[in-house]
Amino acid sequence: MTKNFVEELRWRGMLAQIMPGTEEFLMKGMATAYLGTDPTADSLHIGHLCGIMMLRHLQRCGHKPIILVGGATGMIGDPSGKSQERNLLDSDTLYHNQECIKKQVAKFLDFEAEGPNKAELVNNYDWMKDFTFLDFAREVGKHITVNYMMAKESVQQRLNGTARDGLSFTEFTYQLLQGYDFLHLYQTMGCQWQLGGNDQWGNMTTGTELIRRKLGQDAEAYALTCPLITKADGKKFGKTESGNVWLDRNRTTPYAFYQFWLNVSDDDAERYIKIFTSLDRETIDALVEEHRQDPGRRTLQRRLAEEVTVMVHSREDLEMAIEASNILFGKATKEALQRLDEQTLLDVFEGVQQFEIGRDQLGLPAVELLTAAAPVFSSKGEMRKMVQGGGFSLNKEKLTDQNRPITAEDLIDGKYLLAQKGKKNYYLLIVK
């Protein structure tokens, strides 16, 4: 037990609510805690990262983390923080999602540790699949009153909110199902502690209440939440114009992932580097001070982007992301351009003006292709002048002969040409 887990969360700004007695309980020695996530997609996104980082810090402080994938509860949908009911998923989809999530979480937690605090992954479908409704009513339902359930904020928000369809019975029972998960892990794995986002507080305290009502008031069960992370302007964290920022490289490329962190505001970078990295307090304090001395160097953003990209992807992916950034914002070579996969290429040049040309137009002289087929230049004279002055590049190489034919051998990924006028004006030609 090298660090106090609660104190670690507190200085990092990762502590929202904590049940009385939790810190005293943790001082007794190694404790087991779980955090649940519903497998509603085949990837986690960065909105899940605060909870996953809590488990990471937990294990590093000597405690045992359990990640619960809600194969059973994922079939229902949690009303907490939602304005309408989720779509229900079939078992095959849920299993696929669970396997994908397991691979992602393994980058954060040590599932192979020799000691007693090695991480474990469980699926509540394993103990819920044979649990009949009558069993559930007898073993769980009779211990928690409807009055208690109705008083939960998540339930009240749905009942009194703007949702057209109100709150279904299926969703209403969610807090009991989550409470039973806690009870089951308490009895089978000695798990006395649940972690989660602040929107889960109502469900989590239902679990501690169920444990005490079923096993006696002396049963020790605790809950702790992290805040829901937002941007400095109050907007939702982790959302971009194109949607969530995912941990899966097929949904969000490492380049786009790296760019997200690189472009956060100074205030957000100062908060996020505490929450989303494992850097110690002294290192972070030094980085904050260095950043404040010269904010233009974006010291915090660069270190934040580096740490999170390596943790979620790899050192090689970080280097590729930096190299991709240099293609647009600095010096780069044709070889660097050719190393990019197609999606990263499109991410790098998102927002750049694009032209489509037919494959039958390959073979035309550059001056014809770039004035008539794709009007990068308004006239042949304009192009001639820029080429003679050394100010035009094709695929990051200076074009010295405006009459050189552009062929299929010039294409990147067999379908793209990158034209560059001066230092900052880019055009992406797509061959159809």
Side-chain angles (χ1 to χ4, degrees), residues 83-85 158-159 162-168 171:
S83 61
Q84 57 187 349
E85 188 166 355
R158 284 293 300 277
L159 289 175
T162 59
R164 295 190 306 271
D165 300 326
L167 179 71
S168 71
E171 290 182 292

Side-chain angles (χ1 to χ4, degrees), residues 3 54 65 67 82 98 105 137 157 216 266 347 368 372 406:
K3 290 184 179 179
M54 278 206 300
I67 178 82
K82 308 295 186 301
Q98 173 200 314
V105 174
Q157 286 177 343
D266 288 352
D347 283 344
E368 296 287 344
I406 305 301

Side-chain angles (χ1 to χ4, degrees), residues 365-367 370 377 383-406 410 420:
V367 70
L370 299 172
F377 294 95
M383 181 175 176
R384 187 177 299 111
K385 184 177 180 181
M386 182 162 278
V387 169
Q388 289 174 348
F392 178 73
S393 297
L394 190 68
N395 295 340
K396 285 294 177 178
E397 290 185 338
K398 294 288 185 186
L399 186 70
T400 57
D401 180 5
Q402 72 224 16
N403 292 310
R404 179 174 83 78
I406 305 301
D410 292 305
Q420 182 180 358

